[in-house]
């Protein structure tokens, strides 16, 4: 699975990506194991040129190639989105959340919450420990609201390069 990095998605990255590189990303999003020769054929480049471009995209942090799993199938029975309100500077709390192994992503938001964090845990006890003992005790955290996932209906990283 290929995903564009958060830096590229937010528009804060400084690199511009040409149409050929975007086409390579789309090919890899369809199948992260697609051979470079097949990608080259689809985008009009040699295998070596595709390999070189993919490496450059990886080095620049434009994308990652990773295996995406269903958390339930690998022993993580509880997922939740946690909305967090902060007193003061958001960055130290966002950085502390980002460093937690159980936190999959952190976003600074405009709206009812200052931050949103997605958490993947083994079970309810693990989720409680993360929220109660680790998130709520961070300096600056004023309040949290948890949205426990009951069933995941869609999880995809196929937004392409639109």
């Amino acid at each position: 699975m290929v995903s564009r990095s958060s830096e590229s998605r937010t528009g804060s990255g400084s690199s511009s990506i040409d149409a050929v590189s975007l086409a390579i990303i789309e090919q890899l999003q369809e199948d992260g194991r697609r051979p470079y020769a097949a990608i080259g054929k689809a985008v009009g480049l040699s295998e070596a040129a595709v390999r070189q471009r993919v490496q450059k995209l990886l080095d620049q942090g434009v994308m990652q190639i990773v295996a995406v799993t269903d958390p339930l199938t690998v022993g993580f029975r509880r997922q939740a989105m946690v909305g967090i309100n902060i007193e003061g500077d958001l960055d130290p709390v966002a950085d502390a959340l980002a460093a937690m192994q159980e936190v999959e992503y952190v976003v600074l938001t405009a709206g009812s919450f200052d931050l949103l964090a997605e958490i993947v845990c083994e079970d309810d006890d693990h989720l409680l420990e993360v929220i109660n003992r680790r998130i709520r005790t961070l300096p600056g955290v004023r309040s949290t609201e948890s949205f426990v996932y009951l069933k995941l209906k869609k999880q995809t990283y196929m937004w392409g390069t639109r």
Side-chain angles (χ1 to χ4, degrees), residues 1-160:
M1 178 63 58
V2 177
S3 65
R4 293 173 73 181
S5 74
S6 60
E7 181 176 296
S8 295
R9 280 188 301 221
T10 60
S12 62
S14 59
S15 65
S16 65
I17 302 170
D18 67 14
V20 175
S21 290
L22 290 174
I24 291 169
I25 292 169
E26 287 176 345
Q27 290 285 310
L28 288 168
Q29 282 186 316
E30 288 175 16
D31 179 357
R33 295 175 31 163
R34 184 167 286 156
Y36 290 151
I39 295 170
K41 189 177 239 184
V43 302
L45 292 177
S46 69
E47 178 180 350
V50 170
R51 179 177 286 109
Q52 193 172 45
R53 281 189 181 240
V54 167
Q55 190 59 55
K56 184 178 178 183
L57 291 167
L58 293 169
D59 291 345
Q60 292 176 335
V62 172
M63 69 175 190
Q64 303 172 34
I65 300 174
V66 298
V68 177
T69 62
D70 175 353
L72 289 173
T73 64
V74 291
F76 297 102
R77 306 261 178 253
R78 183 55 70 213
Q79 291 178 271
M81 182 67 63
V82 179
I84 306 163
N85 285 309
I86 308 299
E87 225 171 80
D89 189 2
L90 303 180
D91 285 329
V93 178
D95 291 343
L97 290 168
M100 293 181 189
Q101 182 179 2
E102 295 87 353
V103 176
E104 291 301 311
Y105 72 82
V106 177
V107 291
L108 284 70
T109 66
S112 299
F113 300 104
D114 296 314
L115 300 172
L116 290 174
E118 184 177 41
I119 302 173
V120 177
C121 293
E122 295 167 11
D123 54 30
D124 288 337
D125 288 337
H126 186 196
L127 178 63
L128 178 61
E129 186 267 326
V130 171
I131 293 171
N132 195 44
R133 293 199 180 106
R134 295 178 45 212
I135 294 176
R136 288 184 177 158
T137 60
L138 290 172
V141 171
R142 189 175 58 220
S143 64
T144 64
E145 185 171 347
S146 302
F147 303 90
V148 175
Y149 297 4
L150 298 177
K151 184 175 187 177
L152 185 62
K153 289 295 265 184
K154 180 178 181 180
Q155 180 179 13
T156 181
Y157 299 93
M158 298 299 292
W159 57 82

